[in-house]
Amino acid sequence: TDRVFFFEANVSSSESAADLVAATVAWAGGVSGLVNCAGNSTNISSLEMTPKQWREVMDVHIDGHFYMNQAVARHMVASGNGGAIVNFSSIAHIFGWPRRLPYAVSKAGIDALTRTLAVEWAEFGIRVNAIAPGYINTPLVVNATAKGYLDPTIVGMHAMGRFGEPNEIATGVKFLLSDDASFITGEVLTIDGGFSAKKIPWNK
C-alpha cells in the first residue's frame, strides 16, 4: 500500500481545502492529524506594499490555516474520533520584523487561531497546537546563506550558536501529534535554539 498521497491544492480556498481532505479520507479511510505548514513571505517596505502583496501572504497563512483546520476538524467531529492539529507559527510572532509585516502579523494571528480553536474543539477530542521555529537549515535558508542573502550574524543570535535542522522541528511536530501530548492543547511550542530567549548579544 502506498504511504504517500499527493494532492495539489490551494489552501487559501475553502473549497480546495475541503476537496483535499475529502480526497485524503477517500484514500486513507480517515484523518487523525494535520500538520499545517503552507507558507510564503515577502520583503517589502510597509509604505510601498500593495494590497495584492499584503493579501498574498495573509491569504496563505491566515485563510489557509483556518480553512485547513476547519476542513479537517469537520471530518474529525463527524467521525467522532477526535485528533490532533499542529499549525506553524514562527518566532516572528514576538518581535518587530521590518519589511516582513504581513508575515509577522499572520504568524501572531496563527497563535490566536490555535488557542481559540483549541478551546472551541476540546469537547470533540481535538487538540490544536502550534510550532514556532527559529532559523532552520531548510534548502531555502541554506541557499540564501550560500549566496550571501542572509546576514551571517543571525547565527549568533541563537543561544546555541547554530541554526536548527529540519528533523529537530519534525520531532516537535511528532510529539504534539502523539498520545505523549494527550493533555496539551492551545500551546505554541518554540523550537529556536534560544533565539527568542537570548535577546541581547552575550559572549563569555
Side-chain angles (χ1 to χ4, degrees), residues 43 90-92 95-98 100 133-137 140-142 144-145 148-164 192-203:
N43 184 348
S90 165
I91 54 173
F95 65 90
W97 198 0
R100 306 305 200 285
Y135 280 81
I136 307 300
N137 282 320
L140 183 65
V141 169
V142 171
T145 301
Y149 298 150
L150 195 65
D151 183 350
T153 64
I154 293 175
V155 173
M157 297 177 188
H158 296 69
M160 296 179 71
R162 65 177 179 87
F163 289 167
D192 69 353
F195 180 98
S196 55
K198 188 173 179 181
K199 303 295 186 193
I200 59 174
W202 181 83
N203 295 294

Side-chain angles (χ1 to χ4, degrees), residues 22-172:
T24 302
V25 170
W27 170 71
V31 175
S32 60
L34 168 67
V35 180
N36 215 6
C37 57
N40 59 354
S41 188
T42 187
N43 184 348
I44 300 169
S45 162
S46 300
L47 292 175
E48 299 169 357
M49 184 174 299
T50 66
K52 181 177 183 294
Q53 291 166 334
W54 168 266
R55 281 257 50 98
E56 66 186 9
V57 177
M58 299 297 285
D59 286 352
V60 171
H61 289 273
I62 294 295
D63 292 4
H65 267 72
F66 172 59
Y67 293 146
M68 285 303 303
N69 274 252
Q70 184 185 58
V72 167
R74 282 173 171 169
H75 170 76
M76 290 176 174
V77 171
S79 72
N81 295 325
I85 295 173
V86 178
N87 295 317
F88 263 71
S89 181
S90 165
I91 54 173
H93 66 173
I94 59 167
F95 65 90
W97 198 0
R99 302 181 62 88
R100 306 305 200 285
L101 179 65
Y103 183 82
V105 169
S106 66
K107 290 305 187 180
I110 288 169
D111 294 353
L113 179 144
T114 296
R115 289 188 289 264
T116 301
L117 297 183
V119 173
E120 189 171 338
W121 295 344
E123 65 176 292
F124 304 114
I126 300 172
R127 296 185 299 102
V128 187
N129 293 291
I131 296 282
Y135 280 81
I136 307 300
N137 282 320
T138 61
L140 183 65
V141 169
V142 171
N143 290 336
T145 301
K147 294 179 180 179
Y149 298 150
L150 195 65
D151 183 350
T153 64
I154 293 175
V155 173
M157 297 177 188
H158 296 69
M160 296 179 71
R162 65 177 179 87
F163 289 167
E165 297 300 328
N167 69 292
E168 293 177 305
I169 301 302
T171 298

